[in-house]
């Protein structure tokens, strides 16, 4: 295994920014951050609809603004069909509803609250991810 993108400084900085944003969001809004919950609330609930929309727009604009400021190009290539991506997205949406949250909600917000459900969910996410990488590496 060759670690090409070992970037401890940017990883630590990103982690600190995520932790700070979770804490600030909770202090200022009294809500936990979870992308699937915010997306679901934007689509279904009438409460905080504008705030949820702006949060989701920020997720898209953030990397684009970073790209402009840093001068680094973000290369994205899609190697599968649009149909498979739509199916995968629907399965992810179903999975987040089934587990009452996504990896960001459970892994960041839930674990910071010492939620047993979130700890178990995050361990499950990680184990399934590791298993998937091992299986696809073998095949």
């Amino acid at each position: 295994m060759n670690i090409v993108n070992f970037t401890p400084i940017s990883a630590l900085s990103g982690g600190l920014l995520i932790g700070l944003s979770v804490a600030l969001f909770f202090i200022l809004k009294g809500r936990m951050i979870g992308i699937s919950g915010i997306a679901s609330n934007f689509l279904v609930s009438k409460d905080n609809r504008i705030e949820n929309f702006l949060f989701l727009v920020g997720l898209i604009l953030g990397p684009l603004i970073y790209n402009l400021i840093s001068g680094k190009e973000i290369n994205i290539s899609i190697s599968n069909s649009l149909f498979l991506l739509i199916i995968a997205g629907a399965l992810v949406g179903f999975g987040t509803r089934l587990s009452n949250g996504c990896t960001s909600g459970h892994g960041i917000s839930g674990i910071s609250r010492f939620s047993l459900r979130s700890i178990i969910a995050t361990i499950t996410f990680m184990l399934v991810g590791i298993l998937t990488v091992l299986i696809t590496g073998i095949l």
Side-chain angles (χ1 to χ4, degrees):
M1 183 171 171
N2 185 6
I3 300 177
V4 176
N5 294 321
F6 181 67
T7 56
I9 302 297
S10 62
L12 178 63
S13 301
L16 290 173
L17 284 171
I18 290 170
L20 179 64
S21 66
V22 168
L24 283 174
F25 195 81
F26 183 71
I27 290 168
L28 297 174
K29 295 293 177 187
R31 296 172 35 201
M32 301 304 293
I33 286 183
I35 306 307
S36 65
I38 289 174
S40 174
N41 286 338
F42 169 68
L43 294 172
V44 176
S45 175
K46 294 188 185 222
D47 297 335
N48 302 317
R49 181 165 272 181
I50 293 173
E51 290 177 10
N52 292 331
F53 174 74
L54 292 175
F55 187 92
L56 295 171
V57 168
L59 289 176
I60 296 167
L61 290 180
L64 298 175
I65 292 170
Y66 172 78
N67 184 29
L68 289 173
I69 292 172
S70 70
K72 296 180 180 178
E73 186 175 333
I74 300 172
N75 294 321
I76 299 172
S77 64
I78 298 173
S79 60
N80 270 320
S81 70
L82 182 60
F83 176 74
L84 286 177
L85 289 174
I86 292 170
I87 296 296
L91 288 173
V92 167
F94 175 74
T96 59
R97 286 309 248 173
L98 185 66
S99 66
N100 292 323
C102 59
T103 53
S104 64
H106 284 298
I108 298 167
S109 299
I111 288 178
S112 67
R113 295 182 305 126
F114 301 109
S115 165
L116 181 61
R117 179 178 75 177
S118 291
I119 292 169
I120 291 170
T122 304
I123 290 170
T124 303
F125 296 148
M126 295 302 292
L127 289 176
V128 170
I130 291 166
L131 185 63
T132 301
V133 168
L134 290 174
I135 289 173
T136 57
I138 293 171
L139 300 177

